[in-house]
Amino acid sequence: GFADALPEAAELEAWVLDRLMGALTAAGYRRVKPPLVEFERTLGSGLGAATAEKAFRFLDPATQTMMGVRPDITPQVARIAATRLAGAARPLRLCYSGQILRVTRDQLRPERQFAQLGAELIGSDRTEADVEIARLAVEALRAVGLTRVTLDLVCPALAPRALAAFDLSSGAAAALDAALDHKDVAAARACAGAASAAVEALLAGVGPAEKAVAALRAADLPAEAALERDRLCAVAEALLASGVEATVTVDPVERRGFPYHDGPAFALFARGVRG
């Protein structure tokens, strides 16, 4: 999970990061630089609790205190916004880049050390804020030559809130969660039980945004899930109306990779990426 970057790869990474950060700062996002290492108690607090198990830990010989190497920069930026920049006007627009380190690796990313870059729009829950940050992500990718981009809108809280309204046994709920996570439609239908109608409605909302929004708008969902559905659909509709230069899709059952997200979120996919 660790490797040297030889000249060609190192130069390409530096160029990509420079172009991406240039796009973010040009849009009014101001750069912050959190530390690579923090006290374990602060690194794992707030949003950091969702990724704490991925952090390398060690005992600081100077203070005899447990420290952690950051596995994700986003929780650090949230901490900065809530403390050092608590008095700054909202919405707050921040961006960052840096190296992160993780104890474990996954199938999609075998590396345990890699660069993370991002932008955070903090202090607004308006649809316009979600649209702004999604469009910015697409524009940043275009700045490095990635023009065939798909923006996949998700809402990690939607499926859990839809299924929580039904009296499913713990075993059935776990099996249904696993089936939805793996996009195993047959298995999801087989163990849905009383939640069958809600599961079918959510599965009908997977796909191109125009079709998915129509299916989700027509779905009869429990009240809390309906609120999440409405937020997701509003962002999808606004993105389509904005003329975003990407293919917009919706996946209301996707949760993997969104450990601390609440409300609409998105993943980006692009063709023509060099490995």
Side-chain angles (χ1 to χ4, degrees):
F2 305 100
D4 295 318
L6 299 183
E8 182 180 357
E11 289 162 5
L12 176 61
E13 180 180 291
W15 179 85
V16 169
L17 292 174
D18 183 63
R19 293 295 295 268
L20 291 172
M21 287 299 292
L24 302 182
T25 56
Y29 285 71
R30 301 188 66 189
R31 190 188 301 251
V32 292
K33 185 182 177 182
L36 179 64
V37 173
E38 289 193 35
F39 289 117
E40 184 183 33
R41 63 177 180 271
T42 58
L43 194 66
S45 64
L47 296 185
T51 55
E53 77 283 355
K54 297 180 180 180
F56 277 89
R57 297 173 175 84
F58 63 94
L59 182 67
D60 177 21
T63 63
Q64 294 298 299
T65 304
M66 289 302 296
M67 310 290 287
V69 182
R70 65 187 182 202
D72 189 343
I73 300 177
T74 300
Q76 293 184 296
V77 177
R79 173 185 56 75
I80 290 172
T83 56
R84 306 290 299 279
L85 297 178
R90 264 52 174 174
L92 188 61
R93 292 173 171 84
L94 303 174
C95 62
Y96 58 85
S97 68
Q99 294 289 310
I100 64 173
L101 189 67
R102 292 183 175 175
V103 172
T104 58
R105 51 189 173 182
D106 57 43
Q107 292 180 338
L108 294 179
R109 180 179 289 280
E111 304 90 351
R112 293 198 286 169
Q113 177 186 338
F114 50 90
Q116 181 182 0
L117 176 146
E120 311 294 341
L121 200 166
I122 300 165
S124 174
D125 60 0
R126 294 171 59 86
T127 297
E128 291 83 358
D130 291 316
V131 172
E132 177 184 322
I133 201 75
R135 285 180 56 89
L136 177 60
V138 172
E139 289 161 8
L141 291 183
R142 293 182 67 83
V144 296
L146 298 177
T147 57
R148 294 187 293 170
V149 175
T150 294
L151 193 156
D152 189 40
L153 284 169
V154 302
C155 187
L158 176 51
R161 290 180 182 171
L163 301 180
F166 300 93
D167 187 21
L168 298 175
S169 68
S170 58
L176 184 53
D177 279 344
L180 292 176
D181 278 348
H182 291 89
K183 299 294 188 295
D184 188 338
V185 175
R189 286 173 172 155
C191 60
S196 292
V199 168
E200 291 293 341
L202 293 174
L203 292 173
V206 177
E210 297 90 339
K211 172 181 174 292
V213 166
L216 288 173
R217 288 287 193 197
D220 182 16
L221 296 174
E224 288 193 6
L227 290 175
E228 297 294 340
R229 180 268 317 276
D230 292 344
R231 293 178 64 189
L232 177 62
C233 289
V235 173
E237 290 162 345
L239 272 170
L240 293 173
S242 76
V244 63
E245 295 184 275
T247 299
V248 182
T249 59
V250 175
D251 190 342
V253 300
E254 182 60 75
R255 290 174 292 168
R256 293 171 298 176
F258 299 91
Y260 43 67
H261 292 77
D262 188 20
F266 59 88
L268 291 165
F269 303 90
R271 298 189 181 193
V273 180
R274 286 183 58 181

